[in-house]
Amino acid sequence: MNTDPLTGRPLPATAIQRILHLAPKVHIYQIPPATSTKGYAAASWTANPASQIFTARLRVVETSIPSEPPAQDEERVTTTLLLEDPKTGDLFAAAPYTSERTVEQALDSSRFFAITVMGEGRKAVLGMGFEERSEAFDFSIALQDARRVLGFEPKTTSRAQQLVEEPKRDFSLKKGETISINLGGLKGRRTRVEGERSPEVQKSEQDALFSIKPPPGSGGGGGGGVGFLPAPPSAKSVKDERRRSRQSFEPAHLNPTPEDLGFDDGEFGEFQ
């Protein structure tokens, strides 16, 4: 049977309890009142060994009690931090998580917290320290989830929910509507939605097409005829041209002519 974490009294049979976080060993300190509105510093706790008063087991318990009658579909949810004897399980102190001020992280360490415990109408602020940073981090995540359930923090809305909640808007163009586009010097131009070009645009495109002048020698410059490419050269002319080109680049001493060698092949030749 479930019992109330504070009073130990039995809860209704429909009540549901779950453990949000469990730490087998936390150190409890007797701390002085805060000297600043910013919070507590843990350096003064650990500097004095006498300030540590107990080593406890920590349980963060969430209790959900449905309303009566059940048809109302409402429930009361509470979260309580329980500091218990690690051997016997007896309750040492309890801290009802009723506001964010119930648990305050130390200013100079992420492993130490100041918690407000209550019992028999009295309350006190105790220091609590974790040996491992990972345990302190898990404890902070558990409290963050508890704050969302208890309403201390606004619940986040997913992107899918935002799309469902936002009204759909129609950005399509209606029949007959046009879009005006300013393109610098082309002011006043309009683009039709149907994709048709206006008669003025069609006329300007035709004028631009027929105002292009033909290239020189194409017969459009007033020559009266269409130009033809010249006929390809004959094989003999190509061979003579290659021979002349080769002779023009070869030195005279590599390909001497009869005249270069002193022979006269003319009218007054040596053998005439």
Side-chain angles (χ1 to χ4, degrees):
M1 179 180 294
N2 296 333
T3 58
D4 192 322
L6 293 178
T7 63
R9 298 175 182 177
L11 294 172
T14 56
I16 300 175
Q17 284 187 326
R18 64 176 184 139
I19 299 177
L20 301 181
H21 181 72
L22 174 63
K25 182 188 293 186
V26 292
H27 301 287
I28 307 302
Y29 301 85
Q30 185 176 3
I31 62 176
T35 58
S36 173
T37 57
K38 295 181 179 179
Y40 297 85
S44 59
W45 313 346
T46 56
N48 184 11
S51 62
Q52 182 176 348
I53 58 176
F54 192 67
T55 298
R57 179 183 66 183
L58 170 65
R59 286 197 303 149
V60 181
V61 180
E62 179 188 83
T63 304
S64 175
I65 303 176
S67 62
E68 296 180 358
Q72 294 183 359
D73 193 20
E74 293 181 359
E75 59 182 3
R76 181 170 60 91
V77 180
T78 60
T79 301
T80 308
L81 282 71
L82 302 176
L83 300 175
E84 303 169 335
D85 190 316
K87 296 181 180 180
T88 64
D90 295 337
L91 182 63
F92 172 76
Y97 197 45
T98 56
S99 68
E100 296 182 5
R101 303 284 296 181
T102 302
V103 181
E104 299 182 50
Q105 184 174 335
L107 299 175
D108 53 351
S109 176
S110 62
R111 295 188 295 113
F112 291 87
F113 299 84
I115 62 175
T116 302
V117 298
M118 299 183 66
E120 299 179 356
R122 296 177 300 178
K123 67 177 182 179
V125 179
L126 300 177
M128 182 178 68
F130 293 87
E131 294 184 356
E132 301 293 337
R133 294 185 184 276
S134 58
E135 292 184 348
F137 177 78
D138 294 339
F139 172 68
S140 300
I141 295 300
L143 291 185
Q144 184 178 7
D145 295 338
R147 286 195 296 269
R148 293 196 186 100
V149 175
L150 297 174
F152 299 162
E153 294 182 357
K155 296 182 179 180
T156 57
T157 304
S158 62
R159 181 57 182 168
Q161 294 176 347
Q162 293 178 359
L163 294 176
V164 172
E165 295 175 358
E166 292 181 356
K168 295 183 179 180
R169 291 178 290 180
D170 185 10
F171 295 99
S172 61
L173 295 177
K174 304 302 183 292
K175 185 177 181 180
E177 293 183 349
T178 58
I179 300 176
S180 298
I181 303 176
N182 188 0
L183 299 178
L186 303 178
K187 295 183 179 180
R189 290 286 182 90
R190 285 177 174 255
T191 303
R192 295 179 178 269
V193 178
E194 296 80 8
E196 295 183 356
R197 297 190 299 273
S198 62
E200 293 81 7
V201 176
Q202 294 180 0
K203 185 176 184 306
S204 61
E205 292 176 351
Q206 293 177 359
D207 295 342
L209 176 63
F210 292 103
S211 62
I212 299 175
K213 296 181 179 180
S218 62
V226 180
F228 293 96
L229 293 176
S234 61
K236 184 177 183 303
S237 60
V238 172
K239 186 183 297 185
D240 295 341
E241 181 66 26
R242 288 180 179 176
R243 185 174 64 253
R244 286 194 297 269
S245 300
R246 185 170 58 252
Q247 291 177 356
S248 61
F249 287 98
E250 291 179 353
H253 67 279
L254 295 180
N255 190 16
T257 61
E259 288 79 8
D260 296 333
L261 296 177
F263 294 97
D264 185 6
D265 208 11
E267 181 179 0
F268 301 99
E270 183 178 356
F271 300 103
Q272 293 287 335

